[in-house]
Amino acid sequence: MFNYSRNLPTILEAETRYWIREDRRKGLLNGTAGVPGDSSHDRRAKLVKRSRELFEAEHARTPSDAELVDFHNTRMYATRKDAARQSVLITIRGLGSLRSIPLEDPSLFGEDRLAWTDAPDEGASERTARIRSIVAECARRDAEREASRLRAPKRQPVPMASVARVFFAHHCEGEFPTRKELVAELGVTEPASRREIGSHLNGILAISRRRFADYRNAQ
C-alpha cells in the first residue's frame, strides 16, 4: 500500500479544479462563483458592467443588448492592442446569464454559451511596464516643478505622479477613473487642487498617447 497522505492536498485540489471546470462547462456554475478557472469570465463581466455604467452616464438611459455590445466592443478596441486575443469582446448571445441544465439534457453540447475559455492576457506585463514609465515621467516632472519654484506654495500641491498611480490603479481590468473619481480618491477638497488634478490628468493622457502610439496605429 502506498502512503498518499502527503500528496492528498494536491490530489484534492486537482480533483476540485477538474469538477469545477466540468460543472461550469455544463452550465451548473457561472463565472462569478469565485473559484479557480473563472478569471477570464469575471474580468469580462467587470468590463461589461463598466461599459453599461459608462453608456448610462453618457446617454441617461439603459442600453439595449445590441447597443451595449457595440459600445463595449468599441471601447475594448480603443483601449486594447488585441481585444480579441485578450478575451474581452462580447456578443449578444453571450450577454444572457448562464442557467443550470440537467446533465442528461441532449441540447447541452450545442449550447456554446456554456463554454468559457480562460485566455491569459498576454500583453498585461508589457502594458504595465509602459505605465510604470509614464508614472516615472510624471515623477520627473514633479521634481522639475519643485526645483523651479521661486517661493513656497500657499497650499500642498498635488503630485502628478500620485494622480497617475490612481488613474492606472486598475488598468489590468480596463477601468480608468473619471476626473471626479480621481478627486474623491485623492481626497482633494480645495478648488485649486481640483483644477490641478484636471491639468495633471490632461498631461498624463498626453504622455500615455505618445507611449501607446503603436496601439492606436494598430487599430
Side-chain angles (χ1 to χ4, degrees):
M1 296 294 294
F2 293 99
N3 183 1
Y4 287 102
S5 59
R6 292 186 178 181
N7 295 328
L8 188 59
T10 302
I11 294 172
L12 291 176
E13 180 182 357
E15 287 295 306
T16 301
R17 288 178 180 272
Y18 169 78
W19 287 112
I20 286 172
R21 286 195 301 269
E22 285 298 294
D23 286 348
R24 179 174 291 107
R25 184 177 64 83
K26 296 178 173 66
L28 301 179
L29 288 176
N30 61 26
T32 61
V35 290
D38 64 351
S39 59
S40 177
H41 186 196
D42 280 354
R43 180 172 66 247
R44 181 166 46 240
K46 290 178 182 177
L47 292 173
V48 173
K49 180 176 180 292
R50 180 61 171 168
S51 293
R52 187 186 299 275
E53 293 172 350
L54 292 173
F55 185 96
E56 291 175 350
E58 182 176 339
H59 299 280
R61 63 180 177 85
T62 301
S64 65
D65 287 351
E67 289 173 331
L68 179 59
V69 169
D70 181 66
F71 184 86
H72 173 81
N73 289 345
T74 299
R75 188 168 78 91
M76 292 301 100
Y77 279 123
T79 58
R80 302 297 179 106
K81 184 175 183 179
D82 193 341
R85 187 180 63 179
Q86 294 170 21
S87 188
V88 294
L89 301 179
I90 60 174
T91 62
I92 294 179
R93 292 189 67 190
L95 286 178
S97 59
L98 299 182
R99 55 187 176 87
S100 297
I101 294 180
L103 297 180
E104 64 274 11
D105 187 344
S107 65
L108 171 64
F109 299 100
E111 181 56 82
D112 56 2
R113 287 191 304 109
L114 301 180
W116 295 89
T117 303
D118 189 3
D121 186 351
E122 299 177 0
S125 59
E126 190 255 350
R127 292 197 305 274
T128 299
R130 296 195 192 197
I131 287 172
R132 288 200 187 103
S133 70
I134 293 172
V135 175
E137 171 65 16
C138 293
R140 185 187 66 79
R141 294 190 181 192
D142 286 335
E144 290 181 352
R145 192 178 301 109
E146 287 299 316
S148 63
R149 290 188 190 277
L150 299 178
R151 54 186 177 182
K154 296 181 180 180
R155 59 175 177 82
Q156 184 66 30
V158 180
M160 189 178 189
S162 297
V163 178
R165 291 188 188 97
V166 174
F167 183 74
F168 289 113
H170 301 287
H171 72 90
C172 288
E173 291 79 24
E175 297 182 2
F176 300 93
T178 62
R179 177 181 174 276
K180 183 178 180 180
E181 291 170 337
L182 283 173
V183 169
E185 183 69 22
L186 292 168
V188 173
T189 57
E190 297 182 2
S193 297
R194 293 182 181 182
R195 289 193 295 271
E196 188 175 24
I197 288 178
S199 176
H200 286 337
L201 180 57
N202 291 334
I204 292 167
L205 293 176
I207 298 172
S208 301
R209 292 188 187 98
R210 291 195 296 271
R211 296 294 169 91
F212 287 93
D214 57 324
Y215 278 55
R216 296 166 63 87
N217 297 333
Q219 300 302 325

